Amino acid sequence: MNNLDSSLQAHNKLEKETTNLVLLKDRVDKYHDLSTQMSSILTIFEKRLGNLEQTILPVYQETEQLQKRQQNLEATLNCLENVLSHYDVSQEVCQLIHQGPIEGNIGTFLDALAKLRAAMDYFLHNNSQSVELENVTSLFNNGCEGLNQHYSMLLKKHSAPLKPVELLDLIYIEDDSSSDEFTSFRQLSQSTREELFTISHWLEQNMREYTHIYATERGEVVLRSLQMLKDHQKSSSWGTEALRPRHSGRQNEPKKNTSARLQQIFEKKANKLYLRATQTIEQSTGFSIKKASSHSDHLTSEDLLDGDQELDKYLVMLLGLQRLLNWERAIMRDIIPQSKHNEVFARLAYNAIDLVVKDADAITQRILRCISRKEWTSALGIFSALKRVILLQPDIERTYDAAQREQLTKVLNKLQQTGAKALEHFLDVVKGESSTNIVGQSNVPKDATVHELTSNTIWFIEHLYEHFDVIGSILAQDVLYSTQLDTILMKKALPGEERNKALLAIYIKKALAELNLSIMNKCEQYNDQATKHLFRLNNIHYILKSLQRSNLIDLVTLAEQECEHSYLEMIRELKTSYQKTWSKMLSGIYSLEELPKPVAGKVKDKDRSVLKERFSNFNKDFEEACKIQRGISIPDVILREGIKRDNVEHILPNYNRFFEMYAGVQFSKNPDKYVKYRPHEINAMLSKLFDDSA
């Protein structure tokens, strides 16, 4: 039964597969028919496409040739038009070129010049013998000349020198270009700058000269601004008007004279330099530093008020030049191509810098004449000016190029040379005073007080300390001073600032040595020994007290450790020498053993003449000494009273003994003629010494 079922299933499956096979064959036949038909269609399409290509390709090739001919024709026409335009350009732009450029419409004129330049290039390369080349070249050159004239006209029209008050305000504002007040000094408007910029770049691209025009015109503005400032400085109002701000927001400030304003400006510069140095050190080392003395620390207002006004004016000129050139550099950046900046700026600034350098020569020559007349305030003014010029060096580094810095270095060198000559001349004057004692003439005070040379020398060296940094740098260039400094450094290490002080100490030591020699020589002009000693004592005592009062004694100690001790010893010796001048007067009454001894109030007849002579000689010498010394002045109260006390202690005890022994002796019929003074009268007369009114 099972076998029958299996056979039946196999038979049904076979029939089904047979049916499927028949169906598949039928479909394969249909696909084959369709493939045959498609192949026939494609064959027919390919034949027709080949026929079409054979028909169209000649047409396409002919069309392409026609297009090329059309392009060539158009190019030929354009070229012909371009060539014709070169021939017509002279007539086209002739009137415009002769009229010249118009301010505010420079583009039209530059377009005309561009056409002429193109025509020049065409004829130069294609027909260099053409008359048209000469025409367009001549017209182009005329146009460039007109453009240069327009360029110059714009600069002249819109440029004017700064008035002195404006320049002084610009100096006060310093370099703060971001300040609203700085914009008030802008002369060339933005539109004018843009037009000048356009012309400059066109001339640069066409290799035409224009830099000398700009440099000449703007350089004249700087030069005339400085000259007007110089003229203003000559006015009577200069001292109070200079550097006084005139803009809003500062009107309520109190008026300051030139020196005070300069003080304020240079203090700002010194503080800026100090701040930068501090920040640099702190960033590199991590250490904070305290402020040390700077170039402006010793520029006190009092000293500035007494300064040389001519030097103050010159410093204002230097500041004015620096501000003007900073201002010009800012303008130049808006007008001149970058590649020409250095060349233009060098030309622009040359005459103004030359003016300032020549002024420095004139001022230093004048100061040297003042110094030759022993006007030492001018010498101190040189050192003060030198400090300020040194403070300007960072600004000079930023503002000027290498050649200009070298030119301005002449100012610094001139001031340094003048300062060195002032120091040297002062020593020569002090030294020369010791050899100017002409026979029959006296240049010492009659009252033997402090000599003018001494007071002037002390005044000068006291003020030199305020400029020790500058003076130290000057003296360091002298081999004699540098050698002595090396000797000091071998004993003790000194930092930079202390080295400058040591150099100044060496100079002061030399000045004091020459002064001591001069005083010693001058005292020989007095005939009286006591006056000689008191004259030297007055001067030496004045020197020591002045050094102690001003603390210069500590400075001089760097070069001479025994300075104070030497002066004290000198004073002690002079006091001793002065007391010895009373020896002649006291010699007759000092040794009582040599005198006759009174018996019952009487002496022998032959001894009476001895007592008369001793009393007479004492009276004569004492009166003469009192007469002379009453006219002598000792300005220092302590010294004067001390000498009086020494006189009393030296003279009165000896006279007391002599008076007590012989005043009551009968050695003369007229004793009052010989015993003229009692001890208290001697004391009173000694107390009136050094007082001409007594």
Side-chain angles (χ1 to χ4, degrees):
M1 191 65 180
N2 290 331
N3 293 333
L4 182 62
D5 291 336
S6 299
S7 302
L8 183 59
Q9 290 178 355
H11 178 75
N12 290 338
K13 187 175 182 179
L14 180 62
E15 287 181 353
K16 184 178 180 180
E17 292 296 332
T18 302
T19 304
N20 290 337
L21 181 61
V22 172
L23 181 60
L24 179 61
K25 287 181 178 180
D26 182 56
R27 289 182 177 178
V28 168
D29 292 339
K30 287 182 180 180
Y31 288 149
H32 182 267
D33 293 339
L34 289 174
S35 295
T36 303
Q37 293 176 5
M38 180 60 70
S39 177
S40 299
I41 293 171
L42 290 175
T43 301
I44 295 170
F45 180 75
E46 183 179 3
K47 289 181 181 180
R48 290 181 178 180
L49 187 60
N51 294 335
L52 180 63
E53 182 179 3
Q54 292 176 358
T55 304
I56 294 300
L57 186 59
V59 176
Y60 173 77
Q61 292 174 345
E62 185 176 356
T63 302
E64 184 179 11
Q65 292 176 359
L66 290 175
Q67 287 177 342
K68 288 182 179 180
R69 290 175 184 175
Q70 182 180 3
Q71 291 173 356
N72 292 336
L73 183 60
E74 290 176 354
T76 303
L77 290 174
N78 290 335
C79 183
L80 184 59
E81 288 177 359
N82 186 39
V83 170
L84 291 175
S85 68
H86 294 325
Y87 282 91
D88 296 337
V89 71
S90 298
Q91 296 180 353
E92 180 184 343
V93 302
C94 181
Q95 183 176 358
L96 179 60
I97 295 298
H98 287 307
Q99 286 179 351
I102 300 173
E103 184 176 353
N105 190 26
I106 193 65
T108 303
F109 190 82
L110 293 180
D111 289 342
L113 288 177
K115 292 179 180 179
L116 289 172
R117 183 57 188 257
M120 282 175 56
D121 293 340
Y122 171 78
F123 290 120
L124 190 63
H125 290 91
N126 296 283
N127 191 2
S128 60
Q129 304 300 320
S130 172
V131 177
E132 290 298 328
L133 176 59
E134 297 180 6
N135 292 339
V136 295
T137 301
S138 175
L139 204 56
F140 179 78
N141 290 334
N142 290 338
C144 290
E145 184 178 349
L147 188 62
N148 280 339
Q149 292 174 354
H150 179 71
Y151 191 73
S152 178
M153 181 276 296
L154 282 177
L155 288 169
K156 288 181 178 179
K157 179 179 178 181
H158 297 281
S159 299
L162 283 184
K163 297 176 182 179
V165 291
E166 294 174 336
L167 181 51
L168 292 173
D169 281 345
L170 189 61
I171 292 172
Y172 184 78
I173 292 170
E174 297 200 33
D175 295 324
D176 186 10
S177 58
S178 63
S179 170
D180 293 337
E181 296 172 68
F182 184 82
T183 60
S184 65
F185 300 109
R186 292 174 65 93
Q187 290 186 352
L188 300 171
S189 65
Q190 187 61 34
S191 60
T192 302
R193 294 191 188 200
E194 290 175 357
E195 185 167 339
L196 288 169
F197 173 83
T198 301
I199 297 173
S200 297
H201 280 70
W202 190 92
L203 292 171
E204 175 71 17
Q205 291 171 359
N206 288 272
M207 294 180 290
R208 310 295 293 194
E209 177 55 42
Y210 65 96
T211 56
H212 75 282
I213 299 175
Y214 183 91
T216 301
E217 296 298 336
R218 293 307 301 178
E220 185 68 17
V221 171
V222 176
L223 185 61
R224 287 179 60 196
S225 297
L226 291 177
Q227 289 173 335
M228 289 171 65
L229 177 61
K230 285 183 64 177
D231 294 339
H232 179 69
Q233 288 176 336
K234 297 176 183 177
S235 66
S236 58
S237 62
W238 163 253
T240 56
E241 289 293 324
L243 301 178
R244 179 165 59 86
R246 293 162 179 83
H247 289 286
S248 61
R250 293 183 180 164
Q251 293 287 356
N252 295 329
E253 286 190 8
K255 292 182 180 179
K256 299 181 180 179
N257 66 8
T258 312
S259 296
R261 284 294 177 193
L262 284 172
Q263 165 80 349
Q264 185 176 0
I265 290 172
F266 284 103
E267 277 184 351
K268 289 181 180 178
K269 289 187 172 295
N271 289 335
K272 286 181 180 178
L273 289 176
Y274 168 73
L275 182 60
R276 290 174 187 169
T278 304
Q279 291 174 344
T280 302
I281 293 174
E282 289 181 353
Q283 290 174 1
S284 60
T285 66
F287 294 108
S288 60
I289 60 174
K290 296 181 179 180
K291 186 176 182 181
S293 58
S294 67
H295 285 295
S296 67
D297 286 347
H298 302 296
L299 302 179
T300 63
S301 299
E302 181 179 342
D303 294 327
L304 286 167
L305 293 176
D306 295 333
D308 191 303
Q309 193 178 58
E310 288 300 317
L311 285 170
D312 286 345
K313 293 176 181 179
Y314 183 71
L315 289 169
V316 172
M317 286 282 290
L318 271 180
L319 285 169
L321 174 66
Q322 189 254 329
R323 303 293 191 269
L324 283 170
L325 293 183
N326 274 342
W327 185 49
E328 286 298 329
R329 192 183 288 277
I331 294 175
M332 183 180 66
R333 292 192 188 102
D334 292 341
I335 297 174
I336 303 298
Q338 176 71 31
S339 60
K340 296 291 184 179
H341 280 184
N342 293 338
E343 175 188 346
V344 171
F345 190 73
R347 288 186 182 181
L348 182 154
Y350 183 83
N351 289 335
I353 295 176
D354 189 56
L355 172 68
V356 171
V357 172
K358 288 180 178 178
D359 278 0
D361 289 336
I363 288 175
T364 51
Q365 289 299 321
R366 183 190 64 78
I367 288 175
L368 287 174
R369 290 194 295 271
C370 291
I371 293 171
S372 67
R373 297 193 297 267
K374 304 178 185 179
E375 298 175 7
W376 303 115
T377 303
S378 298
L380 295 175
I382 276 288
F383 301 131
S384 179
L386 193 52
K387 281 185 180 182
R388 296 186 177 109
V389 172
I390 291 172
L391 283 173
L392 283 176
Q393 291 307 300
D395 292 332
I396 290 174
E397 291 292 329
R398 289 195 302 270
T399 303
Y400 306 99
D401 59 30
Q404 293 166 341
R405 289 196 294 271
E406 183 178 356
Q407 196 176 359
L408 281 171
T409 301
K410 296 177 182 177
V411 174
L412 184 63
N413 293 340
K414 198 70 179 178
L415 291 174
Q416 288 177 329
Q417 292 168 7
T418 305
K421 289 180 180 179
L423 294 171
E424 181 181 358
H425 184 68
F426 181 78
L427 284 181
D428 291 340
V429 167
V430 178
K431 184 187 302 182
E433 286 286 333
S434 65
S435 58
T436 55
N437 302 335
I438 303 175
V439 177
Q441 295 186 9
S442 175
N443 63 348
V444 292
K446 293 181 180 180
D447 60 357
T449 188
V450 177
H451 196 278
E452 182 183 10
L453 175 65
T454 302
S455 59
N456 286 344
T457 302
I458 293 299
W459 177 87
F460 187 67
I461 63 176
E462 282 179 348
H463 285 77
L464 288 183
Y465 182 71
E466 301 163 4
H467 312 284
F468 71 84
D469 44 1
V470 172
I471 294 174
S473 64
I474 293 175
L475 295 176
Q477 300 174 19
D478 191 318
V479 177
L480 294 176
Y481 287 93
S482 60
T483 302
Q484 293 185 53
L485 177 62
D486 291 339
T487 303
I488 295 174
L489 293 176
M490 290 175 64
K491 300 177 181 177
K492 180 181 179 182
L494 296 174
E497 185 178 275
E498 292 298 314
R499 293 187 181 190
N500 287 330
K501 290 182 179 180
L503 286 165
L504 178 58
I506 296 170
Y507 177 83
I508 293 176
K509 175 186 173 183
K510 293 183 67 173
L512 292 175
E514 296 296 343
L515 178 60
N516 292 338
L517 180 60
S518 294
I519 294 302
M520 184 178 298
N521 291 334
K522 286 181 182 298
C523 78
E524 296 302 321
Q525 297 183 46
Y526 294 104
N527 297 321
D528 178 66
Q529 286 296 325
T531 307
K532 291 181 181 180
H533 296 314
L534 290 173
F535 172 72
R536 286 190 63 199
L537 188 58
N538 266 331
N539 284 272
I540 297 300
H541 186 270
Y542 177 82
I543 293 171
L544 177 60
K545 291 303 176 183
S546 298
L547 293 176
Q548 291 173 337
R549 183 184 64 254
S550 62
N551 293 325
L552 276 180
I553 195 70
D554 296 331
L555 177 68
V556 181
T557 302
L558 292 174
E560 180 56 63
Q561 292 184 351
E562 299 297 322
C563 176
E564 187 171 17
H565 175 73
S566 297
Y567 274 106
L568 290 172
E569 187 64 21
M570 220 184 305
I571 291 172
R572 188 190 64 77
E573 291 175 357
L574 286 170
K575 286 182 178 181
T576 302
S577 298
Y578 165 71
Q579 290 301 323
K580 289 179 180 179
T581 61
W582 297 103
S583 298
K584 179 184 176 183
M585 180 190 73
L586 295 175
S587 62
I589 67 172
Y590 181 74
S591 181
L592 300 181
E593 291 78 7
E594 299 176 0
L595 295 175
K597 301 295 187 288
V599 178
K602 296 180 180 181
V603 292
K604 297 177 181 180
D605 291 341
K606 64 178 182 179
D607 294 331
R608 291 179 180 180
S609 60
V610 175
L611 293 178
K612 289 178 182 179
E613 181 184 1
R614 297 299 175 96
F615 271 106
S616 295
N617 289 343
F618 177 85
N619 294 337
K620 179 184 176 182
D621 291 343
F622 183 68
E623 288 170 355
E624 183 180 352
C626 287
K627 181 181 177 181
I628 294 173
Q629 296 186 37
R630 192 179 295 119
I632 293 177
S633 173
I634 301 180
D636 188 86
V637 176
I638 297 176
L639 179 63
R640 180 172 67 244
E641 296 305 318
I643 292 176
K644 287 181 180 182
R645 183 176 60 254
D646 292 343
N647 285 342
V648 171
E649 293 174 353
H650 183 54
I651 298 171
L652 202 56
N654 291 291
Y655 185 75
N656 272 338
R657 290 195 301 270
F658 180 72
F659 182 85
E660 289 173 359
M661 181 171 288
Y662 297 105
V665 175
Q666 297 178 5
F667 61 89
S668 173
K669 294 180 181 180
N670 188 11
D672 293 339
K673 177 182 178 181
Y674 299 98
V675 186
K676 296 175 64 173
Y677 303 106
R678 297 183 179 278
H680 72 274
E681 292 175 322
I682 295 292
N683 190 12
M685 292 180 70
L686 289 174
S687 68
K688 293 179 180 179
L689 294 183
F690 320 125
D691 185 1
D692 194 33
S693 63

